[in-house]
Amino acid sequence: HHAKRRDNSVCPYTQTMRHALERRQWMTERLHQAILGHRLELYFQPQFSLADKTLTGAEALCRWYDPEWGWVSPGEFIPLAEERGLIRMLGDWVLEEAASQLGVWQAKHTPLPGKLSINISAQQFADPQLTAHVAKLTTGVPPGAIALELTESDFMRDPDQAVTITHSMRRAGYALFIDDFGTGYSSLSYLRRFAADALKIDISFVRDMLDNHHDRAIVQTIIAMADTLDMKTLAEGVESPAQADLLAKMGCSEAQGYWFGHPLPADEFAATWLMP
Ligand code: C2E
Ligand code: MG
Ligand code: MG
Ligand code: MG
């Protein structure tokens, strides 16, 4: 597997660039070791119904603590894993770990209500055997307990493939959420063909929707599109009760965000949100 290279640049090869490249190379090796050594962690963020504020599920979010660098943001290591051919290995670990955590909660009589959302990257989605692969890695967990999240732009990289895979996933009983919705370029006609269950309204529109009427109009449009297509809407990044109230009034069905709850390690998540 060859990482994409952008070496047609005309800038001079500076010391800073060399350091940046060395850091990325070194980080790639450390990440590889962390995946192999099962030293990544999953955090869980609760998701709620806006109508009655009940727990409807959670999203699994990958965390990496490096002893030397401290916490490395998924915004940095996920793209690195995608670029350096590590994302399938990472994604497999996430699926197995998520399934094993659902099993632990079940065994402790604190099962997660609703669905656990698991983020999937475009390279995993490109696998025509994805449905069978997910089933194999999550053996013992009913497909109805899992939602796979793929970003809108990843869906649109190969829309025809996405149509095929989403139908196969749906037939198997998995739910599909379109993540970061509003930032990609999907058309209504494609959205209609994807067998998705929910649109996740991107955090960038939620952030300023109280003050910015353009963002508010976009949120309202996304909710209207979802209604037309019989999909749910889940707002990301809700940080205040005013945002939650407005979203509820606008007809958004679910939300997650710091106001409802931060992502937490599995035990803390269970202690805070799961009923024994
Ligand atoms: P995402 O899937 O859109 O996840 C939502 C992000 O918003 C998470 O960032 C979450 O911690 C953050 N967030 C939640 N509530 C709030 C809020 O109220 N305010 C703000 N400002 N942020 C909030 P995180 O955990 O840093 O993850 C960033 C991205 O990395 C994710 O975006 C997802 O695309 C990717 N990612 C994380 N874990 C995985 C994984 O296991 N596999 C894959 N393929 N990607 C992952
Ligand atoms: Mg997500
Ligand atoms: Mg998102
Ligand atoms: Mg995102």
Side-chain angles (χ1 to χ4, degrees):
H1 177 86
H2 293 273
K4 243 182 249 156
R5 293 182 63 185
R6 298 178 75 230
D7 52 3
N8 54 350
S9 133
V10 290
C11 5
Y13 187 73
T14 66
Q15 190 77 355
T16 329
M17 285 167 67
R18 194 161 61 80
H19 286 314
L21 285 171
E22 277 170 1
R23 177 178 153 94
R24 286 177 73 72
Q25 185 52 43
W26 201 30
M27 195 177 265
T28 305
E29 281 156 28
R30 297 281 276 254
L31 178 60
H32 194 177
Q33 292 310 315
I35 301 168
L36 291 173
H38 293 245
R39 275 181 280 107
L40 299 180
E41 256 184 282
L42 280 189
Y43 274 40
F44 299 86
Q45 184 176 37
Q47 299 169 332
F48 293 88
S49 152
L50 279 168
D52 57 17
K53 305 291 190 288
T54 53
L55 188 69
T56 57
E59 178 172 11
L61 294 159
C62 194
R63 294 289 179 263
W64 176 26
Y65 182 84
D66 180 88
E68 187 165 330
W69 292 315
W71 294 104
V72 183
S73 158
E76 183 168 19
F77 72 79
I78 295 289
L80 186 73
E82 286 169 340
E83 193 180 299
R84 301 298 179 103
L86 295 175
I87 195 66
R88 282 167 189 266
M89 196 190 283
L90 187 154
D92 284 357
W93 177 82
V94 168
L95 283 159
E96 283 172 341
E97 183 66 15
S100 113
Q101 193 55 60
L102 286 173
V104 168
W105 286 332
Q106 187 79 46
K108 288 186 173 167
H109 303 289
T110 56
L112 177 75
K115 295 176 194 301
L116 181 63
S117 284
I118 301 171
N119 292 284
I120 295 285
S121 96
Q123 285 171 50
Q124 292 169 276
F125 210 69
D127 174 7
Q129 303 302 317
L130 180 66
T131 308
H133 189 64
V134 169
K136 198 179 75 191
L137 295 178
T138 61
T139 309
V141 176
I146 294 176
L148 299 174
E149 293 193 1
L150 189 76
T151 67
E152 184 190 14
S153 36
D154 282 348
F155 264 102
M156 291 308 292
R157 270 191 211 193
D158 187 348
D160 293 318
Q161 159 78 357
V163 170
T164 308
I165 294 272
T166 56
H167 283 272
S168 139
M169 305 281 328
R170 159 80 57 103
R171 269 197 309 277
Y174 298 99
L176 266 145
F177 294 174
I178 305 186
D179 207 349
D180 302 350
F181 191 80
T183 62
Y185 297 93
S186 51
S187 62
L188 260 180
S189 63
Y190 267 118
L191 276 180
R192 196 172 61 78
R193 293 176 59 206
F194 298 145
D197 298 81
L199 302 180
K200 290 192 79 172
I201 305 172
D202 191 65
I203 188 167
S204 61
F205 307 115
V206 175
R207 189 186 299 127
D208 301 319
M209 65 180 288
L210 294 174
D211 309 311
N212 183 314
H213 70 276
H214 291 126
D215 289 342
R216 202 156 57 240
I218 291 171
V219 169
Q220 191 67 78
T221 304
I222 294 173
I223 294 168
M225 283 169 80
D227 285 346
T228 306
L229 298 163
D230 289 321
M231 293 180 189
K232 291 188 308 181
T233 41
L234 199 162
E236 302 190 301
V238 175
E239 296 185 353
S240 74
Q243 287 169 333
D245 288 346
L246 181 56
L247 285 160
K249 251 203 293 197
M250 290 167 82
C252 178
S253 39
E254 290 167 30
Q256 69 185 88
Y258 297 161
W259 186 65
F260 289 100
H262 284 257
L264 295 173
D267 290 348
E268 279 178 59
F269 177 85
T272 312
W273 299 112
L274 302 182
M275 297 295 146

